[in-house]
């Protein structure tokens, strides 16, 4: 028989400090849904993600837990458990153990980054178009 000793304090500190975009968060669950890390440390090792399912709104958490147990990656629509904003729960099982990493990614953060890139692209194209018009007018 073998056992593994994990420093849960270091695990919690490391994963609770990860930022997923500006307002997102990352946590780890066991294949049964047990919270191994979570920003509210009082819930870790005592509650499952299903127990706190109301924090995530209409998310299909049963699918999330089943997918992690089966080794599948996916995303489900949810609400951010702190801000209540529309988000995605993006999850990935860890192949070397029976854990899964779950990222709460607010849609506004994703679209904000996309919109910033689109605005820079639009300004660049307008500048190029303006330069082309100026050159054509001189000729």
């Amino acid at each position: 028989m073998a056992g593994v000793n994990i420093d849960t304090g270091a695990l919690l500190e490391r994963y609770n400090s990860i930022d997923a975009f500006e307002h997102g968060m990352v946590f780890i669950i066991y294949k049964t849904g047990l919270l191994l890390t979570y920003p509210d440390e009082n819930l870790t090792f005592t509650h499952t993600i299903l127990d706190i399912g109301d924090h995530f709104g209409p998310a299909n958490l049963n699918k999330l837990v089943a997918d992690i147990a089966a080794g599948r990656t996916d995303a489900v629509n949810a609400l951010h458990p702190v801000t209540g904003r529309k988000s995605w729960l993006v999850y990935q099982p860890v192949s070397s153990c029976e854990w899964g990493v779950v990222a709460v990614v607010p849609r506004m953060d994703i679209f904000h980054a996309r919109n910033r890139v689109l605005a820079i692209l639009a300004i660049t194209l307008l500048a190029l178009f303006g330069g082309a018009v100026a050159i054509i007018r001189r000729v």
Side-chain angles (χ1 to χ4, degrees):
M1 180 176 239
V4 176
N5 186 11
I6 298 174
D7 181 1
T8 56
L11 185 69
L12 288 170
E13 183 179 316
R14 178 162 185 145
Y15 277 89
N16 287 345
S17 65
I18 294 175
D19 291 326
F21 290 90
E22 189 175 338
H23 301 99
M25 58 192 239
V26 177
F27 57 94
I28 301 174
I29 64 171
Y30 187 64
K31 70 177 183 177
T32 60
L34 181 68
L35 297 169
L36 301 179
T37 66
Y38 195 73
D40 182 353
E41 294 179 14
N42 295 322
L43 301 175
T44 58
F45 298 102
T46 59
H47 290 78
T48 68
I49 194 168
L50 301 172
D51 294 338
I52 62 168
D54 58 329
H55 296 186
F56 297 98
N60 187 350
L61 298 178
N62 289 318
K63 176 185 179 338
L64 181 147
V65 172
D67 282 352
I68 287 177
R72 293 186 295 265
T73 300
D74 202 357
V76 295
N77 291 317
L79 296 178
H80 192 289
V82 177
T83 65
R85 293 183 175 164
K86 290 182 179 180
S87 301
W88 284 294
L89 294 180
V90 181
Y91 52 92
Q92 170 73 43
V94 178
S95 60
S96 61
C97 59
E98 298 177 329
W99 299 356
V101 177
V102 181
V104 180
V105 184
R107 293 182 197 179
M108 67 171 226
D109 287 358
I110 293 172
F111 293 131
H112 178 70
R114 180 203 64 183
N115 291 344
R116 185 176 22 223
V117 169
L118 289 174
I120 291 169
L121 181 60
I123 291 168
T124 303
L125 290 174
L126 284 172
L128 288 172
F129 179 72
V133 168
I135 291 172
I136 291 171
R137 292 180 97 188
R138 293 176 112 190
V139 175

